[in-house]
Amino acid sequence: MLIRPIQKSDTPFIKQILQTDLKAAKLDIPGTAYFDTNLDTLDQYYTGNSNRGYYVVDDNGTILGGAGFGEFDLNNKVAELQKLYLSEAGRGHGLSYKLIDLIKDKAKDAGYSKLYLETHHNLTAALHIYSKAGFTRLNGPIKSSDHSNVMDGFYIMDL
């Protein structure tokens, strides 16, 4: 398995994985990534901007999932872990941890000092992964975002 930067041809697969996962968790509702306006142009959103990056897991041409980072609070050097989703075939291989480690390194290389994320209690596996990966749970969001009205799990880590 290869973890590499997103390409245009990967975008529909990541969108499908993300929406399938969120629907299974009953989070196919407004205020979640399910309805993000950039889902059809993820490659364009993440490519060519030094404040962002997105990486996919490619298993001999089959996209198993991915994760990215983007600016959340540039003034305080806080990046957001974004769109970490894996297909069913990608689960159980430690790929979430590998993606998080890569995103930590890439976000640090981009000049960030903290990595933040927002999640939901319905995503029970994600909650376990984030805690095990070294994130600290917060009582609430560090600032308002497009998702913070629906999400109820907020985490941060130093890079």
Side-chain angles (χ1 to χ4, degrees):
M1 287 185 223
L2 171 69
I3 299 178
R4 60 167 175 75
I6 192 169
Q7 300 171 358
K8 185 174 183 167
S9 60
D10 303 324
T11 293
F13 297 105
I14 296 300
K15 178 182 179 181
Q16 180 184 15
I17 293 166
L18 178 151
Q19 289 185 328
T20 298
D21 285 359
L22 287 174
K23 188 171 189 162
K26 300 186 180 351
L27 291 172
D28 52 339
I29 57 174
T32 68
Y34 191 94
F35 289 104
D36 281 0
T37 57
N38 65 2
L39 289 181
D40 291 317
T41 56
L42 286 176
D43 58 297
Q44 293 172 21
Y45 181 79
Y46 286 102
T47 306
N49 183 328
S50 62
N51 293 319
R52 301 178 190 150
Y54 197 90
Y55 301 86
V56 298
V57 180
D58 183 336
D59 185 17
N60 295 316
T62 300
I63 303 304
L64 299 179
F69 72 93
E71 60 275 18
F72 190 79
D73 183 348
L74 283 174
N75 292 334
N76 292 305
K77 298 183 179 181
V78 179
E80 181 181 27
L81 175 65
Q82 299 175 337
K83 296 175 177 58
L84 171 55
Y85 292 95
L86 293 170
S87 67
E88 199 168 317
R91 296 181 196 139
H93 306 286
L95 295 173
S96 293
Y97 299 105
K98 289 178 183 176
L99 285 165
I100 290 170
D101 285 344
L102 176 66
I103 295 302
K104 286 169 31 181
D105 290 343
K106 296 293 185 180
K108 188 173 182 177
D109 290 348
Y112 294 106
S113 60
K114 295 186 182 296
L115 189 60
Y116 171 78
L117 69 90
E118 299 178 343
T119 190
H120 193 275
H121 71 270
N122 286 8
L123 300 168
T124 54
L127 298 175
H128 172 77
I129 289 165
Y130 297 140
S131 292
K132 192 172 175 184
F135 284 89
T136 301
R137 186 165 180 130
L138 302 171
N139 290 329
I142 58 174
K143 74 175 201 172
S144 182
S145 74
D146 293 342
H147 301 141
S148 60
N149 290 333
V150 174
M151 296 297 132
D152 59 10
F154 309 94
Y155 292 79
I156 199 160
M157 73 164 33
D158 290 327
L159 296 176

